């Protein structure tokens, strides 16, 4: 008996090399036992060792031909969870040597089984593409997107490039019982899976993330090639979902099909943003009246009122925040609470008169969860940002400022129409359409949340420096006028 030990459940190259050597050494399928390194071997008697095989030089085909069709079938079928798949595929290799048309014999039990396995794998891949929902963990520069998925087959590695392509601009991790896949914007890396018994609920995702975070950025991590090419051909929307998936769907932070799907790395105005260069006939006052009854997303239900932008119609600078907070929701005015006070102080230090700027938010209703007497702020998700974006577009078209300042990640996502990292883009002028410039900086509440006093002072100074870029532009455009 020959024992072949593969490096992993998805070790197609190892299987192919071994199958070639076995076939060329005339070793019958019934004389081979396949196993995977690290798996428990249920064997009776002394442990078996792999007998070295003479590996003939050359391609897989060696002295016999295996069609590209078979290789494609085997590459998918090998991802099936059935432990007999390695033996089945080798049996096919063995039989293909003398029966070249074997794959066309759809009623042949081996062929039928391999095709069924490949189909099940594809089905599972599509299911993963459709059902994975990311939840944002952390805020601002430290945002990371997490999802939990429980695949039926060993598909995570093969499906990860799809997510790398779809969500190229956001760092994400997909946690599964087999293996966890992580994307840092450059490459997909894999770490060990999380036991099903420890499957995180929606609320535990963050905790699980903290625990696994260190290992993900370990240089010893396994890197896999991630040149994403696959696009979903169809979605499996109505498959029964595990409870964790249901919870994640209920709290969707972003989904396939959302505006972030084709996000590039460099920010620029989203092409779909239809802002006419012709003079807008809409004044801020008419827009405010219309927005008062906005029902474009469910946030209006719990909020007190729409908090629309405020400032002079002829403002040269438009400041964009995230969403109204508790104080703003009650008062009906943007940036009047603690973040507003921080903003006022920074504007003053930068030499900008708040009365001369237009101040608004990406999302115009307060999103919160009640905790006793307190209403706890909740970050708006992508569908909510998208639903509210037409108001920003119409405000922009009405005001026609020289400069838009996006404060924080939500504002940047609104202004550029896609997820835009703050650190990479902050502090420099970026062109939007129609000669309008954009400036990305942090949100004033980020400064309020910093626990360390030194960091607070340092970050506040950086925020003021960013606003000074806006002040400079304002001075230059006043001189030019
Ligand atoms: N934070 C914001 O983003 N906007 C406000 O109006 C208040 C706090």
């Amino acid at each position: 008996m020959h024992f072949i030990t593969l490096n992993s459940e998805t070790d197609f190259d190892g299987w192919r090399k071994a199958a070639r050597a076995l076939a060329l050494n005339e070793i019958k399928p019934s004389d081979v036992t396949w196993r995977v390194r690290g798996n428990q071997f249920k064997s009776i008697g002394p442990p078996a060792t792999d007998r070295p095989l003479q590996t003939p030089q050359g391609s897989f085909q060696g002295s016999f031909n295996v069609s590209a069709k078979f290789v494609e079938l085997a590459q998918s079928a090998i991802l099936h969870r059935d432990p007999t798949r390695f033996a089945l595929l080798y049996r096919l290799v063995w039989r293909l040597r003398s029966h070249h048309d074997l794959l066309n014999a759809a009623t042949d039990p081996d062929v039928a089984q391999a095709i069924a396995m490949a189909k099940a794998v594809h089905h599972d891949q599509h299911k993963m593409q459709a059902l994975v929902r990311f939840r944002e963990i952390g805020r601002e520069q430290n945002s990371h997107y997490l999802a939990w998925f429980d695949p039926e087959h060993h598909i995570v590695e093969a499906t990860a490039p799809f997510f790398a392509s779809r969500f190229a601009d956001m760092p994400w991790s997909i946690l599964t019982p087999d293996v966890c896949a992580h994307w840092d914007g450059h490459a997909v890396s894999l770490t060990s899976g999380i036991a099903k018994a420890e499957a995180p609920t929606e609320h535990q995702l963050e905790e699980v993330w903290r625990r696994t975070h260190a290992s993900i950025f370990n240089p010893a991590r396994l890197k896999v090639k991630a040149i994403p090419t696959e696009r979903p051909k169809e979605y499996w929307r109505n498959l029964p979902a595990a409870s964790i998936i249901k919870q994640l769907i209920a709290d969707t932070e972003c989904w396939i099909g959302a505006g972030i799907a084709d996000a590039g790395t460099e920010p620029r105005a989203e092409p779909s943003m239809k802002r006419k260069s012709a003079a807008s006939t809409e004044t801020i006052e008419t827009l405010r009246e219309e927005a008062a009854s906005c029902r474009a997303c469910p946030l209006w239900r719990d909020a007190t009122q729409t908090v629309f932008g405020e400032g002079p119609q002829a403002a040269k600078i438009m400041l964009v925040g995230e969403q109204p907070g508790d104080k703003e929701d009650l008062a009906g005015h943007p940036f009047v609470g603690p973040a507003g006070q921080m903003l006022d102080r920074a504007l003053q230090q930068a030499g900008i008169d708040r009365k001369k700027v237009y101040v608004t938010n990406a999302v115009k209703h307060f999103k919160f969860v009640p905790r006793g007497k307190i209403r706890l702020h909740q970050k708006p998700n992508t569908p909510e940002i998208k639903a509210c974006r037409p108001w920003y577009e119409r405000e922009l078209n009405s005001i026609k400022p020289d400069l838009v300042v996006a404060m924080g990640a939500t504002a940047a996502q609104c202004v550029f129409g896609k997820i835009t990292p703050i650190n990479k883009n902050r502090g420099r002028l970026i062109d939007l359409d129609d000669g309008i410039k954009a400036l990305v900086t942090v949100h004033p509440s980020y400064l309020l949340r910093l626990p360390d006093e030194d960091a607070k002072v340092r970050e506040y100074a950086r925020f003021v420096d960013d606003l000074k870029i806006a002040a400079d532009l304002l001075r230059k455009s006043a001189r030019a006028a």
Side-chain angles (χ1 to χ4, degrees):
M1 179 63 69
H2 284 266
F3 290 88
I4 304 293
T5 305
L6 301 175
N7 284 331
S8 73
E9 296 282 0
T10 57
D11 182 10
F12 179 74
D13 287 343
W15 172 84
R16 179 161 63 172
K17 214 166 135 197
R20 185 183 71 208
L22 289 164
L24 291 173
N25 282 285
E26 297 289 328
I27 295 165
K28 287 201 263 295
S30 54
D31 289 342
V32 183
T33 295
W34 296 86
R35 47 196 199 176
V36 174
R37 198 175 305 286
N39 284 0
Q40 296 283 8
F41 302 129
K42 291 193 197 96
S43 60
I44 300 164
T49 51
D50 293 3
R51 248 192 288 159
L53 282 167
Q54 209 190 344
T55 312
Q57 295 300 306
S59 67
F60 181 25
Q61 286 81 3
S63 62
F64 60 95
N65 285 325
V66 175
S67 65
K69 186 175 168 188
F70 173 74
V71 173
E72 200 183 318
L73 176 70
Q75 275 175 325
S76 293
I78 210 162
L79 305 181
H80 200 279
R81 207 172 283 277
D82 186 334
T84 66
R85 65 197 184 281
F86 306 116
L88 167 75
L89 292 173
Y90 178 54
R91 208 158 53 239
L92 280 172
V93 168
W94 181 262
R95 295 178 60 204
L96 276 164
R97 297 183 320 161
S98 53
H99 186 167
H100 299 305
D101 288 339
L102 181 61
L103 290 190
N104 295 330
T107 52
D108 178 275
D110 285 345
V111 173
Q113 197 186 351
I115 291 174
M117 282 180 177
K119 262 195 191 156
V121 164
H122 291 151
H123 179 284
D124 204 26
Q125 287 191 281
H126 289 135
K127 189 169 125 188
M128 182 175 178
Q129 288 169 358
L131 289 184
V132 158
R133 296 291 187 272
F134 289 104
R135 177 179 165 74
E136 187 176 9
I137 304 292
R139 287 170 61 93
E140 309 275 328
Q141 292 97 324
N142 298 320
S143 279
H144 196 95
Y145 292 80
L146 267 196
W148 165 259
F149 187 71
D150 187 1
E152 270 174 58
H153 303 294
H154 300 288
I155 56 160
V156 177
E157 190 176 342
T159 318
F162 164 84
F163 291 96
S165 166
R166 275 267 147 159
F167 302 107
D169 259 14
M170 54 189 245
W172 52 253
S173 294
I174 302 173
L175 314 180
T176 86
D178 295 324
V179 74
C180 298
H182 314 276
W183 171 251
D184 61 5
H186 303 286
V188 174
S189 56
L190 299 177
T191 53
S192 1
I194 291 171
K196 255 189 221 190
E198 289 172 31
T201 64
E202 176 199 341
H203 301 295
Q204 291 162 340
L205 263 176
E206 185 152 5
E207 172 53 26
V208 171
W209 169 242
R210 285 212 190 90
R211 271 193 273 124
T212 55
H213 187 266
S215 67
I216 287 155
F217 295 101
N218 178 346
R221 69 195 182 180
L222 171 62
K223 284 239 181 198
V224 295
K225 205 168 143 222
I227 302 164
T229 50
E230 196 187 350
R231 293 270 158 196
K233 294 180 188 74
E234 57 184 304
Y235 293 117
W236 301 77
R237 292 201 181 283
N238 301 316
L239 291 171
S243 60
I244 175 68
I245 301 293
K246 278 190 193 148
Q247 283 179 11
L248 289 168
I249 290 169
D251 192 25
T252 298
E253 292 292 336
C254 53
W255 59 48
I256 290 167
I260 55 172
D262 295 317
T265 308
E266 285 301 306
R268 67 188 148 71
E270 172 71 3
S272 70
M273 185 172 140
K274 292 188 188 71
R275 191 159 46 77
K276 293 169 252 104
S277 0
S280 166
T281 52
E282 296 182 315
T283 65
I284 289 300
E285 272 325 299
T286 56
L287 288 176
R288 178 179 293 111
E289 275 167 35
E290 204 186 315
S293 54
C294 180
R295 303 287 184 264
C297 79
L299 294 183
W300 66 273
R301 285 208 189 96
D302 297 325
T304 309
Q305 56 194 312
T306 305
V307 179
F308 206 69
E310 282 183 358
Q313 184 72 54
K316 296 278 182 238
I317 295 181
M318 180 164 165
L319 292 182
V320 184
E322 182 193 78
Q323 61 162 344
D326 180 72
K327 294 268 188 313
E328 289 79 10
D329 171 74
L330 297 172
H333 303 290
F335 282 102
V336 292
Q341 284 160 19
M342 173 74 84
L343 175 63
D344 285 351
R345 189 152 68 91
L347 282 171
Q348 201 182 10
Q349 274 187 260
I352 298 173
D353 182 353
R354 170 157 175 179
K355 288 200 277 317
K356 290 196 175 147
V357 300
Y358 183 80
V359 181
T360 191
N361 284 300
V363 171
K364 271 104 175 139
H365 281 111
F366 179 34
K367 181 179 181 182
F368 62 92
V369 280
R371 284 279 179 280
K373 288 187 184 149
I374 297 172
R375 300 189 298 170
L376 267 189
H377 164 280
Q378 293 274 286
K379 187 174 159 46
N381 61 32
T382 294
E384 289 152 0
I385 297 167
K386 277 176 73 104
C388 217
R389 192 163 184 259
W391 291 120
Y392 158 77
E393 293 184 6
R394 289 168 74 182
E395 285 172 298
L396 190 66
N397 202 27
S398 175
I399 300 278
K400 290 198 166 41
D402 290 343
L403 176 71
V404 178
V405 181
M407 300 184 293
T410 302
Q413 188 177 346
C414 166
V415 169
F416 295 105
K418 63 183 183 182
I419 288 180
T420 302
I422 303 293
N423 264 348
K424 228 193 246 174
N425 299 295
R426 84 179 280 188
R428 64 188 169 91
L429 295 172
I430 300 164
D431 287 329
L432 295 179
D433 286 348
D434 298 339
I436 300 175
K437 306 268 182 209
L439 179 70
V440 175
T441 186
V442 293
H443 191 283
S445 337
Y446 160 71
L447 306 173
L448 290 171
R449 283 196 311 270
L450 286 171
D452 167 355
E453 271 315 305
D454 286 350
K456 233 181 197 142
V457 170
R458 201 175 50 242
E459 284 301 310
Y460 175 77
R462 278 190 76 195
F463 181 53
V464 172
D465 283 347
D466 288 343
L467 293 178
K468 282 182 180 163
I469 299 174
D472 272 356
L473 187 88
L474 210 59
R475 267 192 294 276
K476 276 182 200 143
S477 76
R479 271 202 298 273

